[in-house]
Amino acid sequence: MDNIKSYVQHHKDRFINELIELLKIPSVSADPAYSQDVIDTATAVKQSLEKAGCDFVEICDTPGYPIVYGEKTIDPNLPTVLVYGHYDVQPPDPMDLWTSPPFEPVIKKTEIHPEGAIFARGSCDDKGQMYMHVKALEYMVQSNTLPCNVKFMIEGEEEVGSKSLSWFVERNQEKLKNDVILISDTGMISNQQPSITTGLRGLSYVEVEVTGPNRDLHSGLYGGAVANPINVLAKMIASLHDENNHITIPGFYDNVQELSTEERAEMAKAPFNLENYKKALDLNDVYGEKGYVTNERNSIRPTLDVNGIWGGYTGEGAKTVIASKAYAKISMRLVPNQDWQEITELFTKHFESIAPAGVTVKVKPHHGGQGYVTPIDSIGYQAANKAYTETFGVPAIPVRSGGSIPIVALFEKELKSKTILMGFGLDSDAIHSPNEHFGIFNYLKGIETIPLFYKYFVELFKK
Amino acid sequence: MDNIKSYVQHHKDRFINELIELLKIPSVSADPAYSQDVIDTATAVKQSLEKAGCDFVEICDTPGYPIVYGEKTIDPNLPTVLVYGHYDVQPPDPMDLWTSPPFEPVIKKTEIHPEGAIFARGSCDDKGQMYMHVKALEYMVQSNTLPCNVKFMIEGEEEVGSKSLSWFVERNQEKLKNDVILISDTGMISNQQPSITTGLRGLSYVEVEVTGPNRDLHSGLYGGAVANPINVLAKMIASLHDENNHITIPGFYDNVQELSTEERAEMAKAPFNLENYKKALDLNDVYGEKGYVTNERNSIRPTLDVNGIWGGYTGEGAKTVIASKAYAKISMRLVPNQDWQEITELFTKHFESIAPAGVTVKVKPHHGGQGYVTPIDSIGYQAANKAYTETFGVPAIPVRSGGSIPIVALFEKELKSKTILMGFGLDSDAIHSPNEHFGIFNYLKGIETIPLFYKYFVELFKK
């Protein structure tokens, strides 16, 4: 049996085509219109795990979308790796900005991906990265090199808050028992410089509704005489940041862990070019909290962003109306030690308290999750670093990511084990955006690197 | 031939049914999807004027929607009344708030309209009020009591800024020559207390676009590090009013005419009950510019309202995205002496100047118009007052309205004649809102009152 490198070379076309088939199913968990597709995707994942060599695979019902669970047990005395991933994807809109349809995957070469990248919603986040683990298992089973037991838990609600996953994990602690949790749902610095995400931000996501008059009004007859819910919502949102872009919610920063000067110096070593960053986004300047640099603002600092806003007349032309209601979706990224439920309460209390007379305000919590930090002295981190070093030729750099995988904190709490975030995507892969893509190089490199993690993890575990 | 009262009684069912047919055509000028309906409505209006007894009616092409012109000349030496109205209507959305479809008129009784009201988009603004003049003409022709010449000019772009009308008026000053302009596109205080609108606010309507990053971004990876166009737009909108709800645009108030204490005392005499006003709108309080009461805030003071706002993810569920762009439609109501073009420039300059680094801003002027005041000592005003006094049993009260009929100022400039605003609608008729309606009482009362205006106007004119 050939080694992983040649195995990947030999089967890469099939690996790519299998992923493309999976990407064709529009598993958008946020929109009920796609519910059957989400369920079909679960079935497809189940079949892929069976083919790859799991002894046992099942689709587990939950209050929401099902969770695909699979396992292969070699020897109960050996350690167990739990692989987590998600088969649901973000909504594709705005559709008109996609250069090819989001659910008709195509391979295109880009400057960063000269070997080509698969363009499709979910190609990187997370179908592509999840499927690397399925193909890595296939290799280890075929080549009889699987050094330990493995469990898969692939969910369908990651993009909408993993509600059913927490429900499932709380009820299946024995079944999910493991020695380390392995996730590929993050990125790395570049195709030349691997990195391991050691920190994640938490999340609190809410929707707010501001109601003024009980019906839409003519802005000529009523303009200036009643509170306009849109103007009021704008004022309330604006007041959530001060002139230094600090968040003004009382108590918001109380539990924020301030990093030491040393830690910040360590972070600053990660390669970063502000000019390229601005150029890539067509920005004349960056923007953010005073006293912190870009790489700190999006990783070690909590933030508050409006993710959507709507109200009044948004059609073609002009309508002189004062809307009865205005809405916004607002999310806060949190750092370790900030409790997302507490922050949600602080936000709600504050937002309701700043509503002026003339309007009523409703805050509806959507979902959330805690922040998380992985110690770099854990054997899981070391095994991952050795694996990257072998396949990329350079050691990985530990980085704090601004993103959130709320369930990582849940795993630590419920399953008492550490999570290793082996990401193979790039920031430029446009996840959550039109034209999301995943490099062929990254996909295959992931399949190649993962078996080495198993190898080194078991070695270090036995010591 | 019976007098107007009995004529209306005898023909009222037909009058109502004719209006209902006109209301069935969805002539929404703001939305190109309805363009054929707008044109069909022009044809229907043309036919109604022919039936009513005009000698000559034509559909005049313009760069936009056509203008229906009609006339009946009795004697060139007699004065001429020019009737203006519009056959286009506001967009009906939000559709789900209509209790019956906007273009399927139904008659329902309400507390304020015990004799029933016609519920349909355009029933009051302006098809219903415009059609009163057509039926009044029918009576005067049938009863041979038309005391002067009459011209009709009914346009199809009033709800989107009357661009083609100004084009038409500038080119047809001879054709449109008149001694007074009569318009029913405003309201009155109540069915027991008629009023004549003597002042109108001007309007400047713009659309703004704020662009941040060149694509939608993941709010976890970029949140806090780049300017979020929605947060920025909210901040910019909020900054347009100070803590006293004064508008902060430099120079905005420079030409505003301050009313004397006497004039404000005169205004305060108009019957108004703040508790009922709040109750009717389900408001716990009113809101507006410090130092002015509700009836001043919506009439003699300029205002700035956001009429629509949108950006980011507005679908079901949650999407953690930083939008590339955010938009708002903003309108300013102006008072006499404020020039709408100048205000539009001041807004544009100011709005662009307050854009922070990290975003670019575009301001697109939509349309606008000047404010206007009618002198109450003009014979037109006196004739209207005598007509109301005769049909309602009480004299009309002069009021300043917050609404805008930009073309009134245009008429004075181009046609050198005064406009009389004989409105028969009520503020509670929900124009520009779901469930717009027009009282049967008001509709018939209008048809009854208009011929008296002609009678008294000609009498006073001859003096």
Side-chain angles (χ1 to χ4, degrees), chain A residues 90 93 201 205 216 220 228 284 305 307 317 319 321 329 358 433, chain B residues 90 93 201 205 216 220 228 284 305 307 313 317 319 321 329 358 433:
Chain A
Q90 279 277 315
D93 51 282
R201 290 196 286 189
Y205 200 112
D216 288 2
N228 177 326
N284 57 16
D305 275 294
N307 301 110
K319 188 178 179 199
V321 66
K329 293 176 193 273
S433 301
Chain B
Q90 280 276 316
D93 50 281
R201 289 197 287 188
Y205 199 114
D216 288 2
N228 177 326
N284 56 18
D305 275 294
N307 302 109
Y313 183 66
K319 186 177 180 202
V321 66
K329 293 176 192 274
S433 302

PDB file of all heavy atoms in Angstrom, chain A residues 90 93 201 205 216 220 228 284 305 307 317 319 321 329 358 433, chain B residues 90 93 201 205 216 220 228 284 305 307 313 317 319 321 329 358 433:
ATOM      1  N   GLN A  90     -23.699  28.709   4.981  1.00  0.00           N
ATOM      2  CA  GLN A  90     -24.290  30.048   5.086  1.00  0.00           C
ATOM      3  C   GLN A  90     -25.238  30.294   3.913  1.00  0.00           C
ATOM      4  O   GLN A  90     -25.068  29.712   2.843  1.00  0.00           O
ATOM      5  CB  GLN A  90     -23.176  31.100   5.014  1.00  0.00           C
ATOM      6  CG  GLN A  90     -22.449  31.320   6.315  1.00  0.00           C
ATOM      7  CD  GLN A  90     -23.166  32.277   7.229  1.00  0.00           C
ATOM      8  OE1 GLN A  90     -23.640  33.335   6.805  1.00  0.00           O
ATOM      9  NE2 GLN A  90     -23.304  31.902   8.478  1.00  0.00           N
ATOM     10  N   ASP A  93     -26.790  34.543  -0.454  1.00  0.00           N
ATOM     11  CA  ASP A  93     -26.980  35.919  -0.925  1.00  0.00           C
ATOM     12  C   ASP A  93     -25.873  36.837  -0.446  1.00  0.00           C
ATOM     13  O   ASP A  93     -25.246  36.552   0.570  1.00  0.00           O
ATOM     14  CB  ASP A  93     -28.338  36.482  -0.472  1.00  0.00           C
ATOM     15  CG  ASP A  93     -28.548  36.295   1.018  1.00  0.00           C
ATOM     16  OD1 ASP A  93     -28.882  35.144   1.404  1.00  0.00           O
ATOM     17  OD2 ASP A  93     -28.346  37.242   1.791  1.00  0.00           O
ATOM     18  N   ARG A 201     -13.129  33.684  19.350  1.00  0.00           N
ATOM     19  CA  ARG A 201     -14.013  34.613  20.045  1.00  0.00           C
ATOM     20  C   ARG A 201     -15.382  33.982  20.260  1.00  0.00           C
ATOM     21  O   ARG A 201     -15.813  33.122  19.495  1.00  0.00           O
ATOM     22  CB  ARG A 201     -14.138  35.920  19.261  1.00  0.00           C
ATOM     23  CG  ARG A 201     -12.849  36.731  19.290  1.00  0.00           C
ATOM     24  CD  ARG A 201     -13.053  38.155  18.881  1.00  0.00           C
ATOM     25  NE  ARG A 201     -13.266  38.308  17.453  1.00  0.00           N
ATOM     26  CZ  ARG A 201     -13.303  39.496  16.843  1.00  0.00           C
ATOM     27  NH1 ARG A 201     -13.187  40.611  17.549  1.00  0.00           N
ATOM     28  NH2 ARG A 201     -13.490  39.581  15.547  1.00  0.00           N
ATOM     29  N   TYR A 205     -25.643  36.886  19.431  1.00  0.00           N
ATOM     30  CA  TYR A 205     -26.345  37.370  18.233  1.00  0.00           C
ATOM     31  C   TYR A 205     -27.791  37.683  18.599  1.00  0.00           C
ATOM     32  O   TYR A 205     -28.495  36.832  19.128  1.00  0.00           O
ATOM     33  CB  TYR A 205     -26.312  36.299  17.149  1.00  0.00           C
ATOM     34  CG  TYR A 205     -26.573  36.801  15.733  1.00  0.00           C
ATOM     35  CD1 TYR A 205     -25.556  36.792  14.784  1.00  0.00           C
ATOM     36  CD2 TYR A 205     -27.823  37.258  15.333  1.00  0.00           C
ATOM     37  CE1 TYR A 205     -25.779  37.222  13.484  1.00  0.00           C
ATOM     38  CE2 TYR A 205     -28.051  37.702  14.041  1.00  0.00           C
ATOM     39  CZ  TYR A 205     -27.028  37.673  13.111  1.00  0.00           C
ATOM     40  OH  TYR A 205     -27.247  38.107  11.813  1.00  0.00           O
ATOM     41  N   ASP A 216     -47.621  52.789   9.144  1.00  0.00           N
ATOM     42  CA  ASP A 216     -46.769  53.670   8.350  1.00  0.00           C
ATOM     43  C   ASP A 216     -47.481  55.013   8.178  1.00  0.00           C
ATOM     44  O   ASP A 216     -48.694  55.053   7.989  1.00  0.00           O
ATOM     45  CB  ASP A 216     -46.504  53.058   6.971  1.00  0.00           C
ATOM     46  CG  ASP A 216     -45.548  51.873   7.052  1.00  0.00           C
ATOM     47  OD1 ASP A 216     -45.140  51.522   8.185  1.00  0.00           O
ATOM     48  OD2 ASP A 216     -45.222  51.314   6.004  1.00  0.00           O
ATOM     49  N   GLY A 220     -44.827  63.761   5.282  1.00  0.00           N
ATOM     50  CA  GLY A 220     -45.118  65.194   5.228  1.00  0.00           C
ATOM     51  C   GLY A 220     -46.034  65.607   6.363  1.00  0.00           C
ATOM     52  O   GLY A 220     -45.789  66.593   7.056  1.00  0.00           O
ATOM     53  N   ASN A 228     -39.374  58.756  14.493  1.00  0.00           N
ATOM     54  CA  ASN A 228     -39.224  57.908  13.313  1.00  0.00           C
ATOM     55  C   ASN A 228     -38.380  56.694  13.725  1.00  0.00           C
ATOM     56  O   ASN A 228     -37.211  56.839  14.076  1.00  0.00           O
ATOM     57  CB  ASN A 228     -38.518  58.716  12.212  1.00  0.00           C
ATOM     58  CG  ASN A 228     -38.247  57.897  10.971  1.00  0.00           C
ATOM     59  OD1 ASN A 228     -37.981  56.696  11.048  1.00  0.00           O
ATOM     60  ND2 ASN A 228     -38.310  58.553   9.824  1.00  0.00           N
ATOM     61  N   ASN A 284      -9.616  52.632   2.012  1.00  0.00           N
ATOM     62  CA  ASN A 284      -8.656  53.721   2.129  1.00  0.00           C
ATOM     63  C   ASN A 284      -8.030  53.735   3.528  1.00  0.00           C
ATOM     64  O   ASN A 284      -6.996  54.342   3.760  1.00  0.00           O
ATOM     65  CB  ASN A 284      -9.297  55.078   1.794  1.00  0.00           C
ATOM     66  CG  ASN A 284     -10.498  55.377   2.676  1.00  0.00           C
ATOM     67  OD1 ASN A 284     -10.687  54.747   3.723  1.00  0.00           O
ATOM     68  ND2 ASN A 284     -11.318  56.312   2.248  1.00  0.00           N
ATOM     69  N   ASP A 305     -21.116  44.414  15.856  1.00  0.00           N
ATOM     70  CA  ASP A 305     -21.392  44.742  14.466  1.00  0.00           C
ATOM     71  C   ASP A 305     -22.861  44.530  14.132  1.00  0.00           C
ATOM     72  O   ASP A 305     -23.456  43.541  14.567  1.00  0.00           O
ATOM     73  CB  ASP A 305     -20.549  43.871  13.523  1.00  0.00           C
ATOM     74  CG  ASP A 305     -19.166  44.459  13.289  1.00  0.00           C
ATOM     75  OD1 ASP A 305     -19.102  45.543  12.688  1.00  0.00           O
ATOM     76  OD2 ASP A 305     -18.171  43.851  13.738  1.00  0.00           O
ATOM     77  N   ASN A 307     -25.229  43.221  11.531  1.00  0.00           N
ATOM     78  CA  ASN A 307     -25.105  42.293  10.401  1.00  0.00           C
ATOM     79  C   ASN A 307     -26.206  42.493   9.376  1.00  0.00           C
ATOM     80  O   ASN A 307     -26.101  42.024   8.243  1.00  0.00           O
ATOM     81  CB  ASN A 307     -25.131  40.855  10.910  1.00  0.00           C
ATOM     82  CG  ASN A 307     -24.020  40.575  11.896  1.00  0.00           C
ATOM     83  OD1 ASN A 307     -24.268  40.391  13.088  1.00  0.00           O
ATOM     84  ND2 ASN A 307     -22.798  40.614  11.426  1.00  0.00           N
ATOM     85  N   GLY A 317     -37.186  53.856  -6.589  1.00  0.00           N
ATOM     86  CA  GLY A 317     -37.793  55.175  -6.512  1.00  0.00           C
ATOM     87  C   GLY A 317     -37.936  55.685  -5.091  1.00  0.00           C
ATOM     88  O   GLY A 317     -37.189  55.273  -4.193  1.00  0.00           O
ATOM     89  N   LYS A 319     -40.444  56.889  -1.705  1.00  0.00           N
ATOM     90  CA  LYS A 319     -41.722  56.848  -1.004  1.00  0.00           C
ATOM     91  C   LYS A 319     -41.571  57.670   0.262  1.00  0.00           C
ATOM     92  O   LYS A 319     -40.668  57.425   1.054  1.00  0.00           O
ATOM     93  CB  LYS A 319     -42.113  55.403  -0.674  1.00  0.00           C
ATOM     94  CG  LYS A 319     -43.521  55.287  -0.114  1.00  0.00           C
ATOM     95  CD  LYS A 319     -43.923  53.847   0.169  1.00  0.00           C
ATOM     96  CE  LYS A 319     -45.327  53.842   0.739  1.00  0.00           C
ATOM     97  NZ  LYS A 319     -45.655  52.598   1.447  1.00  0.00           N
ATOM     98  N   VAL A 321     -42.493  58.068   3.394  1.00  0.00           N
ATOM     99  CA  VAL A 321     -43.204  57.360   4.451  1.00  0.00           C
ATOM    100  C   VAL A 321     -42.376  57.373   5.733  1.00  0.00           C
ATOM    101  O   VAL A 321     -41.142  57.426   5.692  1.00  0.00           O
ATOM    102  CB  VAL A 321     -43.463  55.898   4.006  1.00  0.00           C
ATOM    103  CG1 VAL A 321     -42.145  55.147   3.864  1.00  0.00           C
ATOM    104  CG2 VAL A 321     -44.391  55.183   4.970  1.00  0.00           C
ATOM    105  N   LYS A 329     -30.209  43.180  12.862  1.00  0.00           N
ATOM    106  CA  LYS A 329     -29.561  41.995  13.425  1.00  0.00           C
ATOM    107  C   LYS A 329     -28.181  42.454  13.894  1.00  0.00           C
ATOM    108  O   LYS A 329     -27.437  43.061  13.121  1.00  0.00           O
ATOM    109  CB  LYS A 329     -29.436  40.899  12.373  1.00  0.00           C
ATOM    110  CG  LYS A 329     -30.775  40.312  11.915  1.00  0.00           C
ATOM    111  CD  LYS A 329     -30.590  39.303  10.810  1.00  0.00           C
ATOM    112  CE  LYS A 329     -31.897  38.952  10.119  1.00  0.00           C
ATOM    113  NZ  LYS A 329     -32.613  37.843  10.825  1.00  0.00           N
ATOM    114  N   GLY A 358     -41.678  57.581  22.808  1.00  0.00           N
ATOM    115  CA  GLY A 358     -42.200  57.651  21.447  1.00  0.00           C
ATOM    116  C   GLY A 358     -41.979  56.379  20.657  1.00  0.00           C
ATOM    117  O   GLY A 358     -42.526  56.206  19.569  1.00  0.00           O
ATOM    118  N   SER A 433     -19.210  34.824   2.151  1.00  0.00           N
ATOM    119  CA  SER A 433     -19.326  35.860   1.116  1.00  0.00           C
ATOM    120  C   SER A 433     -19.658  35.207  -0.218  1.00  0.00           C
ATOM    121  O   SER A 433     -19.558  33.997  -0.365  1.00  0.00           O
ATOM    122  CB  SER A 433     -18.003  36.614   0.952  1.00  0.00           C
ATOM    123  OG  SER A 433     -17.616  37.210   2.164  1.00  0.00           O
TER     124      SER A 433
ATOM    125  N   GLN B  90     -49.133  55.859  -4.556  1.00  0.00           N
ATOM    126  CA  GLN B  90     -47.973  55.363  -3.816  1.00  0.00           C
ATOM    127  C   GLN B  90     -47.877  53.843  -3.943  1.00  0.00           C
ATOM    128  O   GLN B  90     -48.891  53.178  -4.138  1.00  0.00           O
ATOM    129  CB  GLN B  90     -48.137  55.710  -2.333  1.00  0.00           C
ATOM    130  CG  GLN B  90     -47.768  57.132  -1.978  1.00  0.00           C
ATOM    131  CD  GLN B  90     -46.281  57.289  -1.755  1.00  0.00           C
ATOM    132  OE1 GLN B  90     -45.635  56.471  -1.097  1.00  0.00           O
ATOM    133  NE2 GLN B  90     -45.723  58.345  -2.310  1.00  0.00           N
ATOM    134  N   ASP B  93     -46.942  48.604  -0.608  1.00  0.00           N
ATOM    135  CA  ASP B  93     -46.343  47.846   0.495  1.00  0.00           C
ATOM    136  C   ASP B  93     -46.267  48.669   1.779  1.00  0.00           C
ATOM    137  O   ASP B  93     -46.269  49.891   1.706  1.00  0.00           O
ATOM    138  CB  ASP B  93     -44.924  47.371   0.116  1.00  0.00           C
ATOM    139  CG  ASP B  93     -44.087  48.517  -0.420  1.00  0.00           C
ATOM    140  OD1 ASP B  93     -44.279  48.856  -1.608  1.00  0.00           O
ATOM    141  OD2 ASP B  93     -43.292  49.081   0.357  1.00  0.00           O
ATOM    142  N   ARG B 201     -45.130  72.391   2.901  1.00  0.00           N
ATOM    143  CA  ARG B 201     -43.687  72.297   3.054  1.00  0.00           C
ATOM    144  C   ARG B 201     -43.050  71.847   1.742  1.00  0.00           C
ATOM    145  O   ARG B 201     -43.676  71.160   0.937  1.00  0.00           O
ATOM    146  CB  ARG B 201     -43.342  71.322   4.184  1.00  0.00           C
ATOM    147  CG  ARG B 201     -43.683  71.891   5.543  1.00  0.00           C
ATOM    148  CD  ARG B 201     -43.002  71.150   6.676  1.00  0.00           C
ATOM    149  NE  ARG B 201     -43.583  69.840   6.920  1.00  0.00           N
ATOM    150  CZ  ARG B 201     -43.237  69.083   7.960  1.00  0.00           C
ATOM    151  NH1 ARG B 201     -42.305  69.493   8.812  1.00  0.00           N
ATOM    152  NH2 ARG B 201     -43.798  67.906   8.152  1.00  0.00           N
ATOM    153  N   TYR B 205     -35.471  64.996  -1.478  1.00  0.00           N
ATOM    154  CA  TYR B 205     -35.439  63.537  -1.263  1.00  0.00           C
ATOM    155  C   TYR B 205     -34.162  62.983  -1.872  1.00  0.00           C
ATOM    156  O   TYR B 205     -33.895  63.203  -3.046  1.00  0.00           O
ATOM    157  CB  TYR B 205     -36.655  62.905  -1.931  1.00  0.00           C
ATOM    158  CG  TYR B 205     -37.005  61.507  -1.426  1.00  0.00           C
ATOM    159  CD1 TYR B 205     -38.194  61.294  -0.726  1.00  0.00           C
ATOM    160  CD2 TYR B 205     -36.195  60.415  -1.664  1.00  0.00           C
ATOM    161  CE1 TYR B 205     -38.551  60.020  -0.274  1.00  0.00           C
ATOM    162  CE2 TYR B 205     -36.531  59.147  -1.206  1.00  0.00           C
ATOM    163  CZ  TYR B 205     -37.711  58.952  -0.518  1.00  0.00           C
ATOM    164  OH  TYR B 205     -38.058  57.697  -0.074  1.00  0.00           O
ATOM    165  N   ASP B 216     -18.781  41.365   0.951  1.00  0.00           N
ATOM    166  CA  ASP B 216     -19.279  41.008   2.276  1.00  0.00           C
ATOM    167  C   ASP B 216     -18.191  40.202   2.993  1.00  0.00           C
ATOM    168  O   ASP B 216     -17.517  39.390   2.377  1.00  0.00           O
ATOM    169  CB  ASP B 216     -20.543  40.154   2.160  1.00  0.00           C
ATOM    170  CG  ASP B 216     -21.739  40.991   1.704  1.00  0.00           C
ATOM    171  OD1 ASP B 216     -21.560  42.195   1.457  1.00  0.00           O
ATOM    172  OD2 ASP B 216     -22.837  40.417   1.590  1.00  0.00           O
ATOM    173  N   GLY B 220     -16.708  37.533  12.077  1.00  0.00           N
ATOM    174  CA  GLY B 220     -15.787  37.040  13.103  1.00  0.00           C
ATOM    175  C   GLY B 220     -14.355  37.370  12.733  1.00  0.00           C
ATOM    176  O   GLY B 220     -13.582  37.868  13.551  1.00  0.00           O
ATOM    177  N   ASN B 228     -17.707  49.000   9.470  1.00  0.00           N
ATOM    178  CA  ASN B 228     -18.921  48.299   9.066  1.00  0.00           C
ATOM    179  C   ASN B 228     -19.886  49.341   8.480  1.00  0.00           C
ATOM    180  O   ASN B 228     -20.338  50.240   9.193  1.00  0.00           O
ATOM    181  CB  ASN B 228     -19.539  47.627  10.301  1.00  0.00           C
ATOM    182  CG  ASN B 228     -20.850  46.929   9.994  1.00  0.00           C
ATOM    183  OD1 ASN B 228     -21.630  47.376   9.155  1.00  0.00           O
ATOM    184  ND2 ASN B 228     -21.086  45.838  10.692  1.00  0.00           N
ATOM    185  N   ASN B 284     -46.623  56.364  23.214  1.00  0.00           N
ATOM    186  CA  ASN B 284     -46.578  56.765  24.624  1.00  0.00           C
ATOM    187  C   ASN B 284     -46.185  58.240  24.737  1.00  0.00           C
ATOM    188  O   ASN B 284     -46.408  58.870  25.748  1.00  0.00           O
ATOM    189  CB  ASN B 284     -45.628  55.871  25.437  1.00  0.00           C
ATOM    190  CG  ASN B 284     -44.225  55.858  24.853  1.00  0.00           C
ATOM    191  OD1 ASN B 284     -43.866  56.745  24.069  1.00  0.00           O
ATOM    192  ND2 ASN B 284     -43.442  54.863  25.218  1.00  0.00           N
ATOM    193  N   ASP B 305     -36.204  63.024   7.783  1.00  0.00           N
ATOM    194  CA  ASP B 305     -36.623  61.672   8.138  1.00  0.00           C
ATOM    195  C   ASP B 305     -36.011  60.652   7.202  1.00  0.00           C
ATOM    196  O   ASP B 305     -35.945  60.878   5.992  1.00  0.00           O
ATOM    197  CB  ASP B 305     -38.155  61.549   8.068  1.00  0.00           C
ATOM    198  CG  ASP B 305     -38.827  61.991   9.346  1.00  0.00           C
ATOM    199  OD1 ASP B 305     -38.620  61.302  10.372  1.00  0.00           O
ATOM    200  OD2 ASP B 305     -39.523  63.031   9.334  1.00  0.00           O
ATOM    201  N   ASN B 307     -36.675  57.511   5.246  1.00  0.00           N
ATOM    202  CA  ASN B 307     -37.886  56.851   4.749  1.00  0.00           C
ATOM    203  C   ASN B 307     -37.668  55.371   4.478  1.00  0.00           C
ATOM    204  O   ASN B 307     -38.627  54.613   4.348  1.00  0.00           O
ATOM    205  CB  ASN B 307     -38.382  57.539   3.486  1.00  0.00           C
ATOM    206  CG  ASN B 307     -38.672  59.002   3.702  1.00  0.00           C
ATOM    207  OD1 ASN B 307     -37.951  59.873   3.224  1.00  0.00           O
ATOM    208  ND2 ASN B 307     -39.699  59.286   4.482  1.00  0.00           N
ATOM    209  N   TYR B 313     -27.656  41.199   5.956  1.00  0.00           N
ATOM    210  CA  TYR B 313     -28.554  40.056   5.883  1.00  0.00           C
ATOM    211  C   TYR B 313     -29.869  40.396   6.560  1.00  0.00           C
ATOM    212  O   TYR B 313     -29.906  40.729   7.742  1.00  0.00           O
ATOM    213  CB  TYR B 313     -27.929  38.833   6.554  1.00  0.00           C
ATOM    214  CG  TYR B 313     -28.789  37.595   6.436  1.00  0.00           C
ATOM    215  CD1 TYR B 313     -29.020  37.013   5.191  1.00  0.00           C
ATOM    216  CD2 TYR B 313     -29.383  37.017   7.556  1.00  0.00           C
ATOM    217  CE1 TYR B 313     -29.812  35.887   5.059  1.00  0.00           C
ATOM    218  CE2 TYR B 313     -30.174  35.879   7.432  1.00  0.00           C
ATOM    219  CZ  TYR B 313     -30.387  35.324   6.183  1.00  0.00           C
ATOM    220  OH  TYR B 313     -31.175  34.204   6.054  1.00  0.00           O
ATOM    221  N   GLY B 317     -33.486  34.054  10.283  1.00  0.00           N
ATOM    222  CA  GLY B 317     -32.344  33.512  11.008  1.00  0.00           C
ATOM    223  C   GLY B 317     -31.193  34.491  11.103  1.00  0.00           C
ATOM    224  O   GLY B 317     -31.370  35.703  11.026  1.00  0.00           O
ATOM    225  N   LYS B 319     -27.080  35.620  10.097  1.00  0.00           N
ATOM    226  CA  LYS B 319     -25.904  35.494   9.249  1.00  0.00           C
ATOM    227  C   LYS B 319     -24.847  36.449   9.784  1.00  0.00           C
ATOM    228  O   LYS B 319     -25.110  37.629   9.944  1.00  0.00           O
ATOM    229  CB  LYS B 319     -26.259  35.830   7.796  1.00  0.00           C
ATOM    230  CG  LYS B 319     -25.112  35.566   6.838  1.00  0.00           C
ATOM    231  CD  LYS B 319     -25.486  35.827   5.389  1.00  0.00           C
ATOM    232  CE  LYS B 319     -24.296  35.552   4.487  1.00  0.00           C
ATOM    233  NZ  LYS B 319     -24.373  36.218   3.200  1.00  0.00           N
ATOM    234  N   VAL B 321     -22.302  38.420   9.076  1.00  0.00           N
ATOM    235  CA  VAL B 321     -21.671  39.032   7.917  1.00  0.00           C
ATOM    236  C   VAL B 321     -21.462  40.526   8.166  1.00  0.00           C
ATOM    237  O   VAL B 321     -22.227  41.150   8.904  1.00  0.00           O
ATOM    238  CB  VAL B 321     -22.557  38.823   6.667  1.00  0.00           C
ATOM    239  CG1 VAL B 321     -23.873  39.586   6.809  1.00  0.00           C
ATOM    240  CG2 VAL B 321     -21.842  39.241   5.392  1.00  0.00           C
ATOM    241  N   LYS B 329     -32.838  55.890   2.218  1.00  0.00           N
ATOM    242  CA  LYS B 329     -33.581  56.941   1.521  1.00  0.00           C
ATOM    243  C   LYS B 329     -33.932  57.974   2.583  1.00  0.00           C
ATOM    244  O   LYS B 329     -34.497  57.624   3.621  1.00  0.00           O
ATOM    245  CB  LYS B 329     -34.840  56.369   0.876  1.00  0.00           C
ATOM    246  CG  LYS B 329     -34.567  55.388  -0.265  1.00  0.00           C
ATOM    247  CD  LYS B 329     -35.858  54.777  -0.791  1.00  0.00           C
ATOM    248  CE  LYS B 329     -35.598  53.596  -1.710  1.00  0.00           C
ATOM    249  NZ  LYS B 329     -35.375  53.990  -3.106  1.00  0.00           N
ATOM    250  N   GLY B 358     -12.268  54.730   5.829  1.00  0.00           N
ATOM    251  CA  GLY B 358     -12.666  53.328   5.822  1.00  0.00           C
ATOM    252  C   GLY B 358     -13.946  53.085   5.048  1.00  0.00           C
ATOM    253  O   GLY B 358     -14.300  51.942   4.784  1.00  0.00           O
ATOM    254  N   SER B 433     -50.145  54.781   3.410  1.00  0.00           N
ATOM    255  CA  SER B 433     -50.069  53.662   4.357  1.00  0.00           C
ATOM    256  C   SER B 433     -50.957  52.517   3.886  1.00  0.00           C
ATOM    257  O   SER B 433     -51.760  52.692   2.985  1.00  0.00           O
ATOM    258  CB  SER B 433     -50.577  54.104   5.733  1.00  0.00           C
ATOM    259  OG  SER B 433     -49.847  55.195   6.217  1.00  0.00           O
TER     260      SER B 433
END
